[in-house]
Amino acid sequence: MALMLLRLRDIHKSFAGAEGPVPVLRGVDLDLAAGESLALTGESGSGKSTLLHLVGGLDRPDRGRIEVAGTEVTALDDSGRAALRRGTVGVVFQQFNLIPSLTVGDNIAFQARIAGRHEPVRATALAERLGLAPHLAKYPEQLSGGQQQRCAIARTLAARPALVLADEPTGNLDEATAEEVLGAMLELVAETGAALLMVTHSQHHAARMGRRLHLHAGRIA
Ligand SMILES: Nc1ncnc2c1ncn2[C@@H]1O[C@H](COP(=O)(O)OP(=O)(O)OP(=O)(O)O)[C@@H](O)[C@H]1O
């Protein structure tokens, strides 16, 4: 049986509103096995990014249990969750969070170095695959938004995380480039046997993923 990389049980999350807590997630269950790719869709404000933040250990649920690769994230302290993000979970968020003082090449290698998995040959191949080879010596501010987005994707994948979380990773790209980058992501994730959980607004992109779940009214519809 494939290793279960992600298991969510009865996840609840509210945020403070003017008239008391506003529930965003109201009992989310989800399983994702190694090698699977899952598209998470749902209208704007339905809680997709919130769910990714909880899985990535960037925030805590009010209730429920999150397990990543057999580790109960909900039981970890801040440093435990940071260690999980260094070693096991790779995140590509809407904000690229590239390091301005590092070249594109060093940005790509950064996460892999921290995880102790930097392989220059792999990093170069990734850069070529994502159309970044001519830009490796540049700095992030010299790249277009789409190139920065691809750099953030390369940085995450270079570290070979077991679970990749991506929030609209192709949102800044034109349709043709988005298609290509999504294809590359799916192949690269499949190559390493990782699991991919990706938020997308594109039904077309969702259809290219192994499974699709829709978030509505705080639950998986
Ligand atoms: N830190 C926060 N504090 C207060 N409210 C928040 C916070 N984060 C998210 N919310 C609220 O929770 C709801 C869900 O937000 P979230 O960003 O998860 O939605 P989303 O489905 O990812 O939306 P989009 O598709 O527009 O990115 C929204 O109503 C948002 O205003």
Side-chain angles (χ1 to χ4, degrees), residues 96-117:
F96 318 124
N97 296 331
L98 297 173
I99 300 169
S101 58
L102 295 183
T103 62
V104 169
D106 283 336
N107 265 286
I108 292 174
F110 186 76
Q111 208 78 37
R113 286 198 169 108
I114 288 177
R117 291 198 278 265

PDB file of all heavy atoms in Angstrom, residues 96-117:
ATOM      1  N   PHE A  96       6.455  34.837  -3.528  1.00  0.00           N
ATOM      2  CA  PHE A  96       7.535  33.909  -3.878  1.00  0.00           C
ATOM      3  C   PHE A  96       8.565  33.777  -2.761  1.00  0.00           C
ATOM      4  O   PHE A  96       9.226  32.764  -2.628  1.00  0.00           O
ATOM      5  CB  PHE A  96       8.226  34.349  -5.167  1.00  0.00           C
ATOM      6  CG  PHE A  96       7.255  34.801  -6.209  1.00  0.00           C
ATOM      7  CD1 PHE A  96       7.345  36.064  -6.771  1.00  0.00           C
ATOM      8  CD2 PHE A  96       6.233  33.959  -6.617  1.00  0.00           C
ATOM      9  CE1 PHE A  96       6.433  36.477  -7.724  1.00  0.00           C
ATOM     10  CE2 PHE A  96       5.308  34.363  -7.562  1.00  0.00           C
ATOM     11  CZ  PHE A  96       5.412  35.628  -8.120  1.00  0.00           C
ATOM     12  N   ASN A  97       8.716  34.832  -1.950  1.00  0.00           N
ATOM     13  CA  ASN A  97       9.689  34.788  -0.843  1.00  0.00           C
ATOM     14  C   ASN A  97      11.091  34.409  -1.296  1.00  0.00           C
ATOM     15  O   ASN A  97      11.783  33.647  -0.619  1.00  0.00           O
ATOM     16  CB  ASN A  97       9.240  33.818   0.249  1.00  0.00           C
ATOM     17  CG  ASN A  97       7.944  34.264   0.895  1.00  0.00           C
ATOM     18  OD1 ASN A  97       7.664  35.466   0.947  1.00  0.00           O
ATOM     19  ND2 ASN A  97       7.152  33.328   1.353  1.00  0.00           N
ATOM     20  N   LEU A  98      11.516  34.902  -2.448  1.00  0.00           N
ATOM     21  CA  LEU A  98      12.896  34.658  -2.866  1.00  0.00           C
ATOM     22  C   LEU A  98      13.804  35.550  -2.033  1.00  0.00           C
ATOM     23  O   LEU A  98      13.373  36.595  -1.534  1.00  0.00           O
ATOM     24  CB  LEU A  98      13.060  34.974  -4.354  1.00  0.00           C
ATOM     25  CG  LEU A  98      12.219  34.091  -5.274  1.00  0.00           C
ATOM     26  CD1 LEU A  98      12.301  34.577  -6.711  1.00  0.00           C
ATOM     27  CD2 LEU A  98      12.642  32.634  -5.166  1.00  0.00           C
ATOM     28  N   ILE A  99      15.068  35.145  -1.894  1.00  0.00           N
ATOM     29  CA  ILE A  99      15.990  35.939  -1.084  1.00  0.00           C
ATOM     30  C   ILE A  99      16.699  36.941  -1.999  1.00  0.00           C
ATOM     31  O   ILE A  99      17.431  36.545  -2.908  1.00  0.00           O
ATOM     32  CB  ILE A  99      16.989  35.016  -0.363  1.00  0.00           C
ATOM     33  CG1 ILE A  99      16.192  34.071   0.543  1.00  0.00           C
ATOM     34  CG2 ILE A  99      18.015  35.823   0.438  1.00  0.00           C
ATOM     35  CD1 ILE A  99      16.974  32.947   1.119  1.00  0.00           C
ATOM     36  N   PRO A 100      16.441  38.256  -1.792  1.00  0.00           N
ATOM     37  CA  PRO A 100      16.905  39.268  -2.756  1.00  0.00           C
ATOM     38  C   PRO A 100      18.417  39.328  -2.909  1.00  0.00           C
ATOM     39  O   PRO A 100      18.925  39.655  -3.974  1.00  0.00           O
ATOM     40  CB  PRO A 100      16.382  40.590  -2.180  1.00  0.00           C
ATOM     41  CG  PRO A 100      15.627  40.277  -0.948  1.00  0.00           C
ATOM     42  CD  PRO A 100      15.705  38.816  -0.658  1.00  0.00           C
ATOM     43  N   SER A 101      19.157  38.972  -1.831  1.00  0.00           N
ATOM     44  CA  SER A 101      20.612  39.105  -1.893  1.00  0.00           C
ATOM     45  C   SER A 101      21.286  37.889  -2.522  1.00  0.00           C
ATOM     46  O   SER A 101      22.508  37.872  -2.686  1.00  0.00           O
ATOM     47  CB  SER A 101      21.162  39.313  -0.482  1.00  0.00           C
ATOM     48  OG  SER A 101      20.781  38.223   0.324  1.00  0.00           O
ATOM     49  N   LEU A 102      20.516  36.863  -2.864  1.00  0.00           N
ATOM     50  CA  LEU A 102      21.102  35.668  -3.487  1.00  0.00           C
ATOM     51  C   LEU A 102      20.760  35.629  -4.973  1.00  0.00           C
ATOM     52  O   LEU A 102      19.676  36.059  -5.375  1.00  0.00           O
ATOM     53  CB  LEU A 102      20.555  34.387  -2.836  1.00  0.00           C
ATOM     54  CG  LEU A 102      20.887  34.126  -1.374  1.00  0.00           C
ATOM     55  CD1 LEU A 102      20.306  32.773  -0.939  1.00  0.00           C
ATOM     56  CD2 LEU A 102      22.394  34.148  -1.137  1.00  0.00           C
ATOM     57  N   THR A 103      21.680  35.074  -5.769  1.00  0.00           N
ATOM     58  CA  THR A 103      21.397  34.913  -7.193  1.00  0.00           C
ATOM     59  C   THR A 103      20.276  33.885  -7.363  1.00  0.00           C
ATOM     60  O   THR A 103      19.942  33.140  -6.427  1.00  0.00           O
ATOM     61  CB  THR A 103      22.620  34.386  -7.956  1.00  0.00           C
ATOM     62  OG1 THR A 103      22.945  33.091  -7.424  1.00  0.00           O
ATOM     63  CG2 THR A 103      23.805  35.323  -7.853  1.00  0.00           C
ATOM     64  N   VAL A 104      19.745  33.833  -8.571  1.00  0.00           N
ATOM     65  CA  VAL A 104      18.701  32.851  -8.884  1.00  0.00           C
ATOM     66  C   VAL A 104      19.229  31.436  -8.613  1.00  0.00           C
ATOM     67  O   VAL A 104      18.553  30.614  -7.986  1.00  0.00           O
ATOM     68  CB  VAL A 104      18.261  33.011 -10.357  1.00  0.00           C
ATOM     69  CG1 VAL A 104      17.385  31.862 -10.814  1.00  0.00           C
ATOM     70  CG2 VAL A 104      17.550  34.350 -10.527  1.00  0.00           C
ATOM     71  N   GLY A 105      20.468  31.176  -9.041  1.00  0.00           N
ATOM     72  CA  GLY A 105      21.065  29.845  -8.819  1.00  0.00           C
ATOM     73  C   GLY A 105      21.132  29.513  -7.336  1.00  0.00           C
ATOM     74  O   GLY A 105      20.809  28.396  -6.916  1.00  0.00           O
ATOM     75  N   ASP A 106      21.545  30.488  -6.529  1.00  0.00           N
ATOM     76  CA  ASP A 106      21.656  30.238  -5.084  1.00  0.00           C
ATOM     77  C   ASP A 106      20.291  30.165  -4.425  1.00  0.00           C
ATOM     78  O   ASP A 106      20.115  29.433  -3.444  1.00  0.00           O
ATOM     79  CB  ASP A 106      22.529  31.308  -4.419  1.00  0.00           C
ATOM     80  CG  ASP A 106      24.007  31.061  -4.695  1.00  0.00           C
ATOM     81  OD1 ASP A 106      24.371  29.893  -4.977  1.00  0.00           O
ATOM     82  OD2 ASP A 106      24.798  32.022  -4.663  1.00  0.00           O
ATOM     83  N   ASN A 107      19.333  30.917  -4.946  1.00  0.00           N
ATOM     84  CA  ASN A 107      17.963  30.773  -4.438  1.00  0.00           C
ATOM     85  C   ASN A 107      17.452  29.357  -4.685  1.00  0.00           C
ATOM     86  O   ASN A 107      16.851  28.744  -3.811  1.00  0.00           O
ATOM     87  CB  ASN A 107      17.022  31.784  -5.107  1.00  0.00           C
ATOM     88  CG  ASN A 107      16.840  33.048  -4.278  1.00  0.00           C
ATOM     89  OD1 ASN A 107      16.149  33.034  -3.252  1.00  0.00           O
ATOM     90  ND2 ASN A 107      17.493  34.117  -4.695  1.00  0.00           N
ATOM     91  N   ILE A 108      17.711  28.846  -5.902  1.00  0.00           N
ATOM     92  CA  ILE A 108      17.233  27.492  -6.233  1.00  0.00           C
ATOM     93  C   ILE A 108      17.879  26.462  -5.299  1.00  0.00           C
ATOM     94  O   ILE A 108      17.230  25.525  -4.846  1.00  0.00           O
ATOM     95  CB  ILE A 108      17.520  27.157  -7.720  1.00  0.00           C
ATOM     96  CG1 ILE A 108      16.655  28.049  -8.617  1.00  0.00           C
ATOM     97  CG2 ILE A 108      17.249  25.688  -8.016  1.00  0.00           C
ATOM     98  CD1 ILE A 108      16.935  27.918 -10.101  1.00  0.00           C
ATOM     99  N   ALA A 109      19.163  26.662  -4.989  1.00  0.00           N
ATOM    100  CA  ALA A 109      19.889  25.680  -4.159  1.00  0.00           C
ATOM    101  C   ALA A 109      19.585  25.833  -2.665  1.00  0.00           C
ATOM    102  O   ALA A 109      19.852  24.917  -1.878  1.00  0.00           O
ATOM    103  CB  ALA A 109      21.391  25.850  -4.394  1.00  0.00           C
ATOM    104  N   PHE A 110      19.020  26.968  -2.289  1.00  0.00           N
ATOM    105  CA  PHE A 110      18.920  27.330  -0.867  1.00  0.00           C
ATOM    106  C   PHE A 110      18.223  26.283  -0.001  1.00  0.00           C
ATOM    107  O   PHE A 110      18.760  25.797   0.996  1.00  0.00           O
ATOM    108  CB  PHE A 110      18.194  28.675  -0.762  1.00  0.00           C
ATOM    109  CG  PHE A 110      18.153  29.226   0.627  1.00  0.00           C
ATOM    110  CD1 PHE A 110      19.269  29.814   1.190  1.00  0.00           C
ATOM    111  CD2 PHE A 110      16.996  29.137   1.383  1.00  0.00           C
ATOM    112  CE1 PHE A 110      19.238  30.317   2.484  1.00  0.00           C
ATOM    113  CE2 PHE A 110      16.946  29.638   2.671  1.00  0.00           C
ATOM    114  CZ  PHE A 110      18.068  30.229   3.228  1.00  0.00           C
ATOM    115  N   GLN A 111      17.012  25.925  -0.414  1.00  0.00           N
ATOM    116  CA  GLN A 111      16.213  24.976   0.379  1.00  0.00           C
ATOM    117  C   GLN A 111      16.883  23.600   0.408  1.00  0.00           C
ATOM    118  O   GLN A 111      16.908  22.932   1.445  1.00  0.00           O
ATOM    119  CB  GLN A 111      14.831  24.866  -0.285  1.00  0.00           C
ATOM    120  CG  GLN A 111      13.723  24.509   0.659  1.00  0.00           C
ATOM    121  CD  GLN A 111      13.291  25.718   1.462  1.00  0.00           C
ATOM    122  OE1 GLN A 111      13.263  26.814   0.931  1.00  0.00           O
ATOM    123  NE2 GLN A 111      12.988  25.513   2.722  1.00  0.00           N
ATOM    124  N   ALA A 112      17.424  23.192  -0.727  1.00  0.00           N
ATOM    125  CA  ALA A 112      18.075  21.879  -0.809  1.00  0.00           C
ATOM    126  C   ALA A 112      19.302  21.830   0.098  1.00  0.00           C
ATOM    127  O   ALA A 112      19.573  20.820   0.747  1.00  0.00           O
ATOM    128  CB  ALA A 112      18.481  21.596  -2.261  1.00  0.00           C
ATOM    129  N   ARG A 113      20.025  22.954   0.174  1.00  0.00           N
ATOM    130  CA  ARG A 113      21.206  23.004   1.054  1.00  0.00           C
ATOM    131  C   ARG A 113      20.769  22.836   2.505  1.00  0.00           C
ATOM    132  O   ARG A 113      21.376  22.102   3.268  1.00  0.00           O
ATOM    133  CB  ARG A 113      21.940  24.331   0.885  1.00  0.00           C
ATOM    134  CG  ARG A 113      22.715  24.415  -0.412  1.00  0.00           C
ATOM    135  CD  ARG A 113      23.783  25.519  -0.367  1.00  0.00           C
ATOM    136  NE  ARG A 113      24.670  25.407  -1.499  1.00  0.00           N
ATOM    137  CZ  ARG A 113      24.665  26.254  -2.534  1.00  0.00           C
ATOM    138  NH1 ARG A 113      23.864  27.300  -2.552  1.00  0.00           N
ATOM    139  NH2 ARG A 113      25.504  26.068  -3.533  1.00  0.00           N
ATOM    140  N   ILE A 114      19.707  23.545   2.878  1.00  0.00           N
ATOM    141  CA  ILE A 114      19.213  23.458   4.255  1.00  0.00           C
ATOM    142  C   ILE A 114      18.779  22.027   4.577  1.00  0.00           C
ATOM    143  O   ILE A 114      19.012  21.525   5.673  1.00  0.00           O
ATOM    144  CB  ILE A 114      18.037  24.442   4.467  1.00  0.00           C
ATOM    145  CG1 ILE A 114      18.565  25.870   4.487  1.00  0.00           C
ATOM    146  CG2 ILE A 114      17.290  24.139   5.747  1.00  0.00           C
ATOM    147  CD1 ILE A 114      17.488  26.912   4.622  1.00  0.00           C
ATOM    148  N   ALA A 115      18.149  21.381   3.587  1.00  0.00           N
ATOM    149  CA  ALA A 115      17.668  20.010   3.801  1.00  0.00           C
ATOM    150  C   ALA A 115      18.798  18.991   3.691  1.00  0.00           C
ATOM    151  O   ALA A 115      18.589  17.801   3.912  1.00  0.00           O
ATOM    152  CB  ALA A 115      16.568  19.690   2.792  1.00  0.00           C
ATOM    153  N   GLY A 116      20.023  19.451   3.315  1.00  0.00           N
ATOM    154  CA  GLY A 116      21.161  18.535   3.146  1.00  0.00           C
ATOM    155  C   GLY A 116      21.010  17.678   1.900  1.00  0.00           C
ATOM    156  O   GLY A 116      21.530  16.570   1.837  1.00  0.00           O
ATOM    157  N   ARG A 117      20.294  18.186   0.897  1.00  0.00           N
ATOM    158  CA  ARG A 117      20.051  17.384  -0.300  1.00  0.00           C
ATOM    159  C   ARG A 117      20.424  18.143  -1.575  1.00  0.00           C
ATOM    160  O   ARG A 117      19.849  17.927  -2.630  1.00  0.00           O
ATOM    161  CB  ARG A 117      18.557  17.006  -0.370  1.00  0.00           C
ATOM    162  CG  ARG A 117      18.131  16.013   0.704  1.00  0.00           C
ATOM    163  CD  ARG A 117      16.815  15.341   0.348  1.00  0.00           C
ATOM    164  NE  ARG A 117      15.667  16.151   0.688  1.00  0.00           N
ATOM    165  CZ  ARG A 117      14.982  16.036   1.825  1.00  0.00           C
ATOM    166  NH1 ARG A 117      15.343  15.137   2.718  1.00  0.00           N
ATOM    167  NH2 ARG A 117      13.946  16.795   2.073  1.00  0.00           N
TER     168      ARG A 117
END
